[in-house]
Amino acid sequence: MAIRERRLSPAAADSTAGNAATLELDQTSTPPQLNVGGDWTLANYRSLQRQIAALRAPLAATARISFSRLSALDTAGAALLTDLIGAQRTLQLAQTEDGLPPASQSLLTTVAQALAQSPPTAPPVKHSWASDVLERIGAAMLNLRANIIALLGFTGLTLQTLAGSVLRPSRWRLTAVVAQIEQTGLDAVPIVALLTFMVGAVIAFLGATVLANFGASIYTVDLVAFSFLREFAVLLTAILMAGRTASAFTAQIGSMKANEEIDAIRALGLDPMTLLVLPRVLALLVAMPALTFIAMMSGMLGGAMVCALTLDISPTMFLTLLQQDVGIRHFILGIAKAPLFAFVIALIGCLEGFKVSGSAQSVGEHTTSSVVQSIFLVILIDALAALFYMEMGW
């Protein structure tokens, strides 16, 4: 036995849900009369919307409203009526219309009062791509300004705490400093040495390839020595520390902030700057120069290996050329930047940790921000230092 499915149109479906809602405007009478009839309920909502849209022109203020044919009314229908004839006029009709049941009068009054008190919906603001770009640039500038002010203030607070702890040995946290030196310095030796060794080998290989065209392959030794003593060793080490140590500082302090451990430290009458920030700053100030020295030695070792394999420059000859052509001042100029980089990396890592709001997402966002800010400032300071060295003739 075949079963046939019968589908109703939306208007027919609406009409089957109780009495159909009607909305007729009688233009023959003077003034025009709007006849409201049927069930103005949620079941007929779509049908009522189509009928209201079919009126096209707005209803005249002098038009009469007749509710004599209205059989049912709920909140949805009352809202449509209020939108059609206005909140103030709906209130007047609800109080003066005799044909409305008391329940419908009360419902119309309540809905009209609620819609009259609600603020008008503002039209959507049209944005152009130019205004969006300028808005994003402005927000980025304000964010940069706030970060600079916060970093400068945190730097002053750290220096103040450090100065106050120098003459008070009871505040020294030697165990915490030694533990941080192990984590930030000793544990980072393998990755720093391996990375700089490979970079030194690459630079020596590229230098030998290019300088061979000019018959100056012997100067590959000077290229490797100058680049690592002045720039590459300290810069690569700082970038590694920014990615490895600054993120660790932010995650550690941020997790303590999220778990309210920092609030507990303050409740015990202790200073988080003394307990959490100073050990990390001092540890990185000690570890960074040592790692930079290891990076210098590893980079030149990688260059010496490539020179011995491709240019037949023995290690003895490499050291002899290094001693003759490269002065100790290049080593001093390179190693002098290590404490400054260490101070900046430690400050940013700790500051971003204190900015964590308390959620895991905030910890991740500020950890990423600390790495980005640290690398940016390290490269910026290195560029400014290079310009300063050049102007001073160093």
Side-chain angles (χ1 to χ4, degrees):
M1 177 178 180
I3 298 177
R4 293 184 179 179
E5 180 181 2
R6 181 185 178 191
R7 295 185 180 180
L8 300 178
S9 63
D14 292 339
S15 63
T16 58
N19 297 329
T22 60
L23 183 66
E24 299 175 355
L25 181 61
D26 186 3
Q27 299 281 4
T28 59
S29 62
T30 305
Q33 178 172 314
L34 183 68
N35 297 314
V36 179
D39 291 349
W40 279 61
T41 58
L42 184 62
N44 298 320
Y45 192 83
R46 287 186 299 172
S47 174
L48 287 170
Q49 281 185 319
R50 289 192 294 269
Q51 294 182 57
I52 291 174
L55 287 178
R56 299 181 181 274
L59 188 65
T62 57
R64 293 180 300 174
I65 312 295
S66 174
F67 296 103
S68 59
R69 303 177 186 176
L70 184 65
S71 56
L73 181 69
D74 65 1
T75 306
L80 287 175
L81 271 176
T82 305
D83 290 337
L84 176 63
I85 63 179
Q88 296 299 329
R89 193 171 183 186
T90 303
L91 285 173
Q92 295 175 0
L93 290 173
Q95 297 172 359
T96 59
E97 185 69 24
D98 296 333
L100 280 175
S104 299
Q105 290 181 349
S106 177
L107 180 61
L108 274 178
T109 302
T110 303
V111 173
Q113 288 177 347
L115 292 178
Q117 294 174 0
S118 63
T121 304
V125 181
K126 296 183 179 179
H127 295 280
S128 63
W129 66 268
S131 62
D132 291 341
V133 170
L134 292 176
E135 182 180 357
R136 287 180 176 272
I137 292 175
M141 292 298 102
L142 291 176
N143 188 32
L144 177 62
R145 175 178 175 270
N147 287 335
I148 292 175
I149 293 175
L151 181 59
L152 292 177
F154 193 73
T155 301
L157 183 60
T158 303
L159 294 176
Q160 178 186 359
T161 306
L162 179 61
S165 301
V166 169
L167 301 179
R168 298 181 181 179
S170 60
R171 291 189 175 183
W172 295 356
R173 307 289 175 178
L174 295 180
T175 303
V177 172
V178 172
Q180 290 296 331
I181 289 175
E182 180 184 2
Q183 295 177 9
T184 60
L186 188 60
D187 294 346
V189 169
I191 184 63
V192 171
L194 179 61
L195 178 66
T196 51
F197 178 85
M198 292 187 295
V199 173
V202 170
I203 291 176
F205 180 77
L206 292 176
T209 303
V210 174
L211 294 175
N213 298 327
F214 304 95
S217 300
I218 195 69
Y219 290 105
T220 304
V221 177
D222 296 346
L223 174 63
V224 173
F226 277 110
S227 60
F228 269 89
L229 289 178
R230 294 179 67 100
E231 294 294 337
F232 282 165
V234 65
L235 187 60
L236 290 174
T237 304
I239 292 175
L240 281 175
M241 290 298 101
R244 182 182 183 275
T245 305
S247 60
F249 288 174
T250 303
Q252 291 167 2
I253 297 178
S255 298
M256 296 179 68
K257 181 77 177 295
N259 295 330
E260 299 182 354
E261 296 178 35
I262 295 179
D263 295 334
I265 291 174
R266 291 193 178 100
L268 291 174
L270 302 174
D271 185 12
M273 295 295 295
T274 304
L275 291 178
L276 303 177
V277 178
L278 283 188
R280 288 171 169 80
V281 172
L282 294 176
L284 203 56
L285 285 174
V286 174
M288 187 76 177
L291 291 174
T292 302
F293 178 77
I294 294 173
M296 291 176 179
M297 297 300 104
S298 299
M300 288 190 291
L301 180 61
M305 184 192 70
V306 172
C307 290
L309 295 177
T310 62
L311 300 177
D312 294 330
I313 299 176
S314 64
T316 303
M317 186 178 180
F318 187 94
L319 293 175
T320 302
L321 293 173
L322 186 65
Q323 184 178 5
Q324 290 177 355
D325 299 339
V326 183
I328 190 65
R329 64 186 178 90
H330 301 294
F331 168 77
I332 296 174
L333 292 176
I335 204 74
K337 293 184 285 187
L340 180 59
F341 290 168
F343 188 71
V344 170
I345 292 170
L347 281 185
I348 293 177
C350 295
L351 174 60
E352 290 299 316
F354 282 107
K355 288 182 180 180
V356 172
S357 60
S359 62
Q361 180 181 359
S362 179
V363 173
E365 290 174 353
H366 287 285
T367 300
T368 303
S369 177
S370 68
V371 174
V372 173
Q373 291 183 40
S374 300
I375 294 176
F376 174 78
L377 282 182
V378 161
I379 296 176
L380 177 63
I381 294 172
D382 185 73
L384 295 176
L387 292 175
F388 178 74
Y389 291 166
M390 182 180 66
E391 291 296 329
M392 297 299 296
W394 295 346

